[in-house]
Amino acid sequence: MDAYFMTDRHEKLRREVRTFAESEVRRRLEEMERSRAVQSELSRLIAAQGWIGVTVGPEFGGMGLGHLAKTIIIEELARVSGAMGAMVQASQLGVAKILHFGTEEQKARWLPPIAGGRSLPTIAVTEEESGGHVLGLSASAVRDGDDYILNGRKVYVGNSHVGDVHGVVVRTGPGSTGLSAFLVEADRSGFSLGEHRPALGLHGFSFGELVMEDCRVPAANRLGAEGQGLAVAYSSSVLYGRPNLTAVALGIHQALVEETTAFAAKRQRYGGPLADLSSIKLKLGLMQSRLMTARLAAYHAVHLLDEGLPCDAELMNAKFINVEYALDTARNAMEVHGACGLDPSRQVERYLRDAHHIYAPAGTSDVQLLRLAEVALGTAKRQWSEQLGPQITAGLG
């Protein structure tokens, strides 16, 4: 099935990322789980491979390989560490806003260091009081001469504590046309971070709070025109957030199947391997079926995106299927492991915890189903893939 979508370059990229993940990431897992600290050094090491620039064109120092290649990179990292897969996917969200809304001057300034692994970008939209309701944002930017003064807080920002430049969406006026996006450097006066608080899973990844208190930002750092902030947030979520999180879920799903089949083949019960029991085989078969279906949905969606074809529905469906199937497989994996699955030294319980983190970002499963219902009813609004797809295709090298 992979060959239908993949070229030799994709295969070579997968081998490169898997080798790196096995040699550089896996040996750090125990410390990551023990300390729960932000893995700044490892994040920088991954960025130094040039993978954050996979969708950036060669003219800005990027790989220009597109969304399928991006999916493979995130998937292979998440197969070993969901946290590091999440780190790359969050950085890619930061790339999206510059690619699609940045001026040529902004692209020339920001994209080369990002593609070269010298700068990690983020996107910051969510706020404590508004959650996923983008129009409920209250963080503000007020024009002051050639600058804007930003005030407010952002939460659940992927790569919050390792990011160098944050793409924040704030309110510059009322209503849906009153949101604007800005690039805010991490060392800018008036900008600070909340305390890093480890969560259920993805230990080593930071998704924390940004604080802006009279933070002065040049007007040259504004992405697009005033009032385009909603487009920045929505398009980044649809075209990058959903496929990126799909890739993280897919990598975790692959790890769950590998870990569980290896356990069942080795564990002895009733005079033979656990895998000889029909009840166990049925669970393993179901897990494998889900994995194959999930990968097909994921690769098909990003293949369409790379081709510049309308695919918003396919991206929504891929996120829905991959997250739901990964969670179902995680439950089956725990059932096969039995009490052993509760042991923190077992990888399967880490995969279970990490999988739950992929559910809410870029829209929960219910959100994906509501949007897919609109597709079925013929009431779906404009497709971001149709509007920005030609830009994506033009950037492929």
Side-chain angles (χ1 to χ4, degrees), residues 67 70-71 74 89 93 233-249 298 301-302 305 311-320 322-323 358 360-364 366-372 384:
H67 287 265
K70 169 167 61 68
T71 295
I74 297 171
Q89 82 81 20
L93 276 169
Y234 279 177
S235 63
S236 298
S237 177
V238 173
L239 299 182
Y240 276 71
R242 285 169 181 162
N244 290 3
L245 291 158
T246 292
V248 177
V302 291
L305 189 57
C311 58
D312 284 34
E314 285 80 2
L315 294 169
M316 298 171 198
N317 189 51
K319 206 258 181 177
F320 171 77
N322 272 268
V323 170
I358 314 305
T364 65
D366 283 350
V367 169
Q368 312 306 327
L369 291 177
L370 287 171
R371 298 290 84 81
L372 288 170
W384 289 108

Side-chain angles (χ1 to χ4, degrees), residues 10-141:
H10 289 121
E11 295 285 4
K12 181 174 182 290
L13 179 64
R14 185 187 296 280
R15 291 193 297 271
E16 291 171 355
V17 181
R18 181 167 293 198
T19 298
F20 176 92
E22 290 291 349
S23 62
E24 296 295 338
V25 180
R26 192 173 293 280
R27 64 186 178 88
R28 293 174 164 89
L29 288 174
E30 185 176 346
E31 169 59 21
M32 290 166 66
E33 290 300 305
R34 185 194 64 78
S35 69
R36 297 189 172 192
V38 177
Q39 293 295 306
S40 298
E41 180 183 344
L42 181 55
S43 297
R44 299 289 174 187
L45 180 61
I46 292 172
Q49 309 310 305
W51 295 328
I52 309 301
V54 65
T55 61
V56 176
E59 68 273 21
F60 296 113
M63 300 171 71
L65 294 180
H67 287 265
L68 178 55
K70 169 167 61 68
T71 295
I72 292 167
I73 291 169
I74 297 171
E75 174 192 354
E76 286 298 325
L77 288 169
R79 173 183 165 270
V80 173
S81 166
M84 291 302 100
M87 188 283 292
V88 173
Q89 82 81 20
S91 296
Q92 290 290 346
L93 276 169
V95 170
K97 64 187 183 297
I98 302 173
L99 280 177
H100 296 309
F101 293 92
T103 64
E104 289 305 308
E105 292 78 10
Q106 288 171 332
K107 291 176 183 178
R109 176 185 177 188
W110 300 104
L111 291 179
I114 289 172
R118 302 184 301 279
S119 177
L120 284 171
T122 79
I123 191 166
V125 179
T126 306
E127 296 178 7
E128 186 69 37
E129 297 302 319
S130 58
H133 177 44
V134 179
L135 290 179
L137 300 183
S138 61
S140 64

